[in-house]
Amino acid sequence: MKQIPGGITAPQGWQAAAVAAQIKPSGKPDLTLIYSPTPAVAAGVYTRNLVRAYSVDYDQAITQKQQPVHAIVINSGNANAATGTRGMEAVHETAGLFSSLLQIQPDQVLTASTGVIGVPLPMEKIAQAAPSLVTALSATGSDQAAEAIMTTDLVAKTLALETDLDGVTIRLGGIAKGSGMIHPDMATLLGFITCDAAVEVNLWQTLLQEVTALTFNQITVDGDTSTNDLVLALSNGQAGNALICDPDSPEAAILKQMLTEVCLDLAKKIARDGEGATKLLEVQVSGATTDQDARKVARTIAGSDLFKCALFGCDPNWGRIAAAAGRAGVAFDPAHLAVWMGDIQLMAHGEPLTFDRAAAAAYLKGDPVLVRLDLGPALGQGSAWGCDLTYDYVRINGEYTT
Amino acid sequence: MKQIPGGITAPQGWQAAAVAAQIKPSGKPDLTLIYSPTPAVAAGVYTRNLVRAYSVDYDQAITQKQQPVHAIVINSGNANAATGTRGMEAVHETAGLFSSLLQIQPDQVLTASTGVIGVPLPMEKIAQAAPSLVTALSATGSDQAAEAIMTTDLVAKTLALETDLDGVTIRLGGIAKGSGMIHPDMATLLGFITCDAAVEVNLWQTLLQEVTALTFNQITVDGDTSTNDLVLALSNGQAGNALICDPDSPEAAILKQMLTEVCLDLAKKIARDGEGATKLLEVQVSGATTDQDARKVARTIAGSDLFKCALFGCDPNWGRIAAAAGRAGVAFDPAHLAVWMGDIQLMAHGEPLTFDRAAAAAYLKGDPVLVRLDLGPALGQGSAWGCDLTYDYVRINGEYTT
């Protein structure tokens, strides 16, 4: 796998653009279009929050029908959530507007939103900006898109890869935004993946779900999930490879590896850019009964407020790690537990070791920080990613802004 | 129910005392004894954390055997957890020591610990302090005990009630310590209830479990559970009432009400005294399919870092409340959702209302703060309690103290 520039416009046949539609009070770009003139197979994973924006329901209905799509329209600055029937109308109006301009069907346009909740989406601003957005579409528009989907993210998040598949070059790119937050919004995770491989739609959906379980679903900033979270993956077949249908084929394995590398990179970037975060935390768990158990333990530790504060304070507090593992809802024998921070082992066979606290504290000053746990002799393993809990998290989320 | 002074020594036949055994570096009282010369029925509820102190296993074995007990020995300043076989020996030595001094059987002594994890319990200090602790036992010793079980709790937590039961006065008292934390400990919840009613041991255990589910298990400070959490309830029958056996009797109902009032009061005091907290949060949920569902939603909201930061910032951020409800893992129709802060309604039928933000913000400056949700037409209801997430929480838990 070779990293290449170009993000979501690196794969063949993909264009993107962004404009400032004045939805964000800052006047920064806030309306983004991702487009392939060739129809693409579409897969999606969606927030499990019961209270969700209509755009999530809308996209899910389309990807479940397995219809090919051409475009994704994303606005930042307004989540278009909890706005009742007006929210539903706004999604259909947006899809209708862009389908007219792009001369495609309305249900070939997916939509996503992030920003303030409970405020109607200013459709007149979107209508006014739409023609110039379509005109601006470009095969080098990925960076514009990656910037425009941000809310209070500090850095744009993007990666593209290319590889050889039976003599054909295939490319896969992604952009994402994460845990920046604007009042009174929840942290929203949006991820957009483009690809030029020819892939069967069921397989594409399966790959996205499997990869999301190991990447985007294994990051935590504060345990809160959003009304608007989604990851959409589109592949338009422009690479010219033979259609990938068989999940057990080497080609499917390569495609999955590409998707995993891009999603993992974006997920880690989101965790590192968590609100107020000063460092990325990676938790690796081995020796669990199943991989799922291992992931659950890793996620519980990465989500422990107590340990996240200790991480901020560079305090090698293994007791909090052991206790978080113990409450993860996963069966293991505490007498087998071993814990490391980096290469420093703090616990073996469920008992604390004498260790160099100063060296451990110095290790925790670095970024990223790796915590490893071994739960026992079984073979289940998994990882999760998070960040530290800092004064700035409280400040960002506690500021009185009404 | 009449509130009376005296805490755990208010019920007849109960004595308590505390001394400074120099386990705490501060030199404050850290060794506590609760004692009834008459044997008492004992019930317990214990941490579900897999990684737990041996004292928890030890007490659970005794209460499961339903043997009468006479005493509880509690040390603060050292959790005696993750100390391997030495931890197990320390519990048996402590029970043996006090059983000799009190001339009772070792398995008539329960033990509890809270404090630093992974450091062997200094048994020589406990042995040295034990005789003077037994000598100090007094029928007015409850306040001493309530103080001595504290770690970094800011206030002692205690309540006693008395009521008439078929012409007999029965009394029930409790002390608890909560979410204070000392490095490198987890927040530990310890609760001790004494009573002088004659009650059958199975019924007593059932009552404690039912009441704990509605009180101590419905408070959250940061979602982390401790290796040492437990609530022990002992009743010695000294009131002279007819033995309460029938769970459906009016007498059992009165006893349950007493236990509920004391546990609820102690639980709220623990939440209010959460690390760094500036206010108590009460979340009331109605309209859920079951009471259990309602409690789950209430607990998820009370535990949402995002909402807890908004509460600290006095920001009437109903979006975070709705989103936390949505991810609680409980089925409800978001189109029915209604939300209030105090008397101010922010959401009805799943859509935001226009409300006086200044008045809502002013309401949030108070203490306690009440948030109410109605999920729909069903009858399930429940409450949870928590506190705000503040700079001080991060400071207390992030301080580098090695």
Side-chain angles (χ1 to χ4, degrees):
Chain A
M1 302 284 159
K2 191 176 130 197
Q3 287 196 20
I4 53 172
I8 53 169
T9 47
Q12 288 186 58
W14 284 102
Q15 303 168 20
V19 294
Q22 313 301 329
I23 304 166
K24 283 180 181 168
S26 66
K28 288 186 179 173
D30 48 21
L31 193 63
T32 304
L33 181 59
I34 303 171
Y35 175 64
S36 166
T38 315
V41 294
V45 290
Y46 303 97
T47 181
R48 294 189 187 126
N49 200 308
L50 262 188
V51 177
R52 50 190 222 165
Y54 181 71
S55 63
V56 177
D57 293 329
Y58 174 86
D59 292 350
Q60 188 163 26
I62 291 174
T63 56
Q64 277 176 348
K65 277 189 285 180
Q66 306 193 329
Q67 289 176 317
V69 305
H70 284 276
I72 310 172
V73 181
I74 309 124
N75 77 273
S76 52
N78 186 313
N80 190 33
T83 47
T85 50
R86 275 186 297 186
M88 191 184 299
E89 287 160 12
V91 169
H92 287 290
E93 280 175 42
T94 302
L97 186 60
F98 283 89
S99 69
S100 298
L101 290 165
L102 295 164
Q103 296 190 288
I104 55 180
Q105 297 302 312
D107 61 3
Q108 294 177 319
V109 179
L110 302 173
T111 73
S113 298
T114 176
V116 186
I117 284 184
V119 175
L121 195 61
M123 279 311 300
E124 68 294 348
K125 291 181 178 176
I126 291 178
Q128 202 174 349
S132 60
L133 180 57
V134 171
T135 308
L137 279 170
S138 131
T140 57
S142 182
D143 287 351
Q144 273 182 42
E147 292 273 344
I149 63 172
M150 290 164 59
T151 49
T152 55
D153 298 64
L154 298 177
V155 296
K157 299 162 186 79
T158 182
L159 185 71
L161 297 176
E162 116 182 346
T163 195
D164 178 88
L165 195 79
D166 305 328
V168 173
T169 299
I170 63 168
R171 295 185 179 131
L172 188 146
I175 60 173
K177 58 98 37 188
S179 46
M181 176 172 315
I182 50 170
H183 172 85
D185 190 19
M186 269 74 55
T188 289
L189 185 157
L190 298 180
F192 305 101
I193 308 290
T194 59
C195 184
D196 54 19
V199 55
E200 191 273 328
V201 63
N202 273 308
L203 175 58
W204 187 234
Q205 176 69 36
T206 303
L207 290 182
L208 181 65
Q209 285 174 208
E210 289 176 358
V211 166
T212 301
L214 300 173
T215 57
F216 290 116
N217 284 351
Q218 285 298 105
I219 58 173
T220 174
V221 171
D222 54 19
D224 273 286
T225 58
S226 155
T227 52
N228 290 53
D229 290 341
L230 56 76
V231 179
L232 297 171
L234 276 61
S235 198
N236 65 5
Q238 288 295 291
N241 62 301
L243 184 71
I244 307 172
C245 298
D246 177 3
D248 299 322
S249 64
E251 290 77 14
I254 289 172
L255 188 60
K256 184 175 180 178
Q257 193 191 333
M258 270 188 124
L259 189 60
T260 302
E261 283 190 29
V262 168
C263 290
L264 188 57
D265 177 78
L266 295 174
K268 285 188 192 179
K269 283 171 177 164
I270 288 170
R272 177 60 187 82
D273 199 17
E275 287 162 323
T278 71
K279 62 191 78 168
L280 174 68
L281 168 65
E282 174 162 342
V283 182
Q284 293 177 355
V285 173
S286 61
T289 308
T290 65
D291 288 352
Q292 204 172 9
D293 278 1
R295 291 203 298 272
K296 203 168 171 187
V297 170
R299 216 165 46 223
T300 304
I301 295 165
S304 161
D305 279 357
L306 281 178
F307 180 62
K308 288 165 64 182
C309 286
L311 189 62
F312 174 53
C314 300
D315 180 358
N317 197 323
W318 56 267
R320 294 180 184 172
I321 297 173
R327 71 172 165 86
V330 161
F332 67 92
D333 181 354
H336 278 121
L337 186 62
V339 177
W340 293 259
M341 288 178 181
D343 291 331
I344 305 167
Q345 187 166 9
L346 312 180
M347 205 171 182
H349 307 298
E351 298 197 26
L353 298 174
T354 305
F355 65 93
D356 182 342
R357 294 192 78 84
Y363 174 72
L364 295 182
K365 291 202 169 87
D367 173 26
V369 163
L370 173 64
V371 167
R372 281 189 298 140
L373 280 85
D374 190 46
L375 304 182
L379 297 177
Q381 55 183 359
S383 298
W385 296 267
C387 58
D388 49 347
L389 176 55
T390 71
Y391 296 120
D392 272 355
Y393 179 87
V394 176
R395 184 186 54 73
I396 294 167
N397 291 302
E399 265 176 358
Y400 177 58
T401 54
T402 51
Chain B
M1 301 285 158
K2 189 177 132 195
Q3 286 196 21
I4 53 172
I8 52 170
T9 48
Q12 288 187 58
W14 283 101
Q15 304 169 19
V19 294
Q22 313 301 329
I23 304 166
K24 284 180 181 168
S26 66
K28 288 186 179 173
D30 48 22
L31 193 64
T32 303
L33 180 60
I34 303 172
Y35 175 64
S36 166
T38 316
V41 295
V45 290
Y46 304 97
T47 181
R48 294 187 189 130
N49 199 308
L50 261 187
V51 177
R52 51 190 223 166
Y54 181 71
S55 63
V56 176
D57 293 329
Y58 174 85
D59 292 350
Q60 189 163 25
I62 290 175
T63 56
Q64 276 176 350
K65 277 189 285 182
Q66 305 192 331
Q67 289 176 318
V69 306
H70 284 276
I72 310 172
V73 182
I74 308 123
N75 78 272
S76 53
N78 186 314
N80 190 33
T83 47
T85 50
R86 274 185 299 186
M88 190 184 301
E89 287 161 12
V91 170
H92 287 289
E93 279 175 42
T94 302
L97 186 60
F98 283 90
S99 69
S100 299
L101 291 165
L102 295 165
Q103 297 190 289
I104 55 181
Q105 297 302 312
D107 61 2
Q108 295 177 320
V109 180
L110 301 174
T111 73
S113 299
T114 176
V116 185
I117 284 184
V119 176
L121 195 61
M123 280 312 300
E124 68 294 348
K125 292 180 178 177
I126 290 178
Q128 202 174 349
S132 59
L133 181 56
V134 171
T135 308
L137 279 170
S138 131
T140 57
S142 181
D143 287 350
Q144 272 182 43
E147 291 273 344
I149 63 173
M150 290 164 60
T151 50
T152 55
D153 299 64
L154 298 177
V155 295
K157 298 162 187 78
T158 182
L159 185 72
L161 296 176
E162 116 181 347
T163 195
D164 178 89
L165 195 79
D166 304 329
V168 173
T169 299
I170 63 168
R171 294 182 180 134
L172 188 146
I175 59 173
K177 59 96 40 185
S179 46
M181 177 171 316
I182 50 170
H183 173 86
D185 188 19
M186 269 74 54
T188 289
L189 185 158
L190 298 181
F192 305 102
I193 307 290
T194 59
C195 184
D196 53 19
V199 54
E200 191 272 329
V201 62
N202 272 309
L203 175 59
W204 187 234
Q205 176 70 35
T206 302
L207 290 182
L208 181 65
Q209 285 174 207
E210 288 176 358
V211 167
T212 301
L214 300 174
T215 57
F216 289 116
N217 284 351
Q218 285 297 105
I219 58 173
T220 174
V221 171
D222 55 18
D224 274 286
T225 58
S226 154
T227 52
N228 290 52
D229 290 342
L230 55 76
V231 179
L232 297 171
L234 277 60
S235 198
N236 65 6
Q238 288 296 290
N241 61 300
L243 185 70
I244 307 172
C245 299
D246 177 3
D248 299 322
S249 64
E251 291 76 13
I254 289 172
L255 189 60
K256 184 175 180 178
Q257 192 190 333
M258 272 188 121
L259 188 60
T260 303
E261 283 190 30
V262 168
C263 290
L264 188 57
D265 177 79
L266 295 175
K268 285 187 192 180
K269 283 171 177 164
I270 289 171
R272 177 61 186 84
D273 200 17
E275 287 161 324
T278 70
K279 64 191 77 170
L280 174 68
L281 168 65
E282 174 162 342
V283 182
Q284 294 177 354
V285 173
S286 61
T289 308
T290 65
D291 287 353
Q292 204 172 9
D293 278 1
R295 292 204 297 271
K296 203 169 171 186
V297 170
R299 217 164 47 222
T300 305
I301 294 166
S304 160
D305 280 357
L306 281 179
F307 180 61
K308 288 164 64 182
C309 286
L311 189 61
F312 173 52
C314 300
D315 180 358
N317 197 323
W318 55 267
R320 294 180 184 172
I321 297 173
R327 70 172 166 86
V330 161
F332 67 92
D333 181 354
H336 277 122
L337 186 62
V339 177
W340 293 259
M341 288 177 180
D343 292 330
I344 304 166
Q345 187 167 9
L346 313 181
M347 204 171 183
H349 308 298
E351 298 197 26
L353 298 174
T354 305
F355 65 94
D356 182 342
R357 294 192 78 85
Y363 174 72
L364 295 182
K365 292 202 169 89
D367 173 26
V369 162
L370 173 64
V371 167
R372 282 190 298 140
L373 279 85
D374 189 45
L375 304 183
L379 297 177
Q381 56 184 358
S383 298
W385 297 268
C387 58
D388 50 347
L389 176 56
T390 71
Y391 296 120
D392 273 355
Y393 178 87
V394 176
R395 184 186 54 72
I396 294 167
N397 290 302
E399 264 176 359
Y400 177 60
T401 53
T402 52

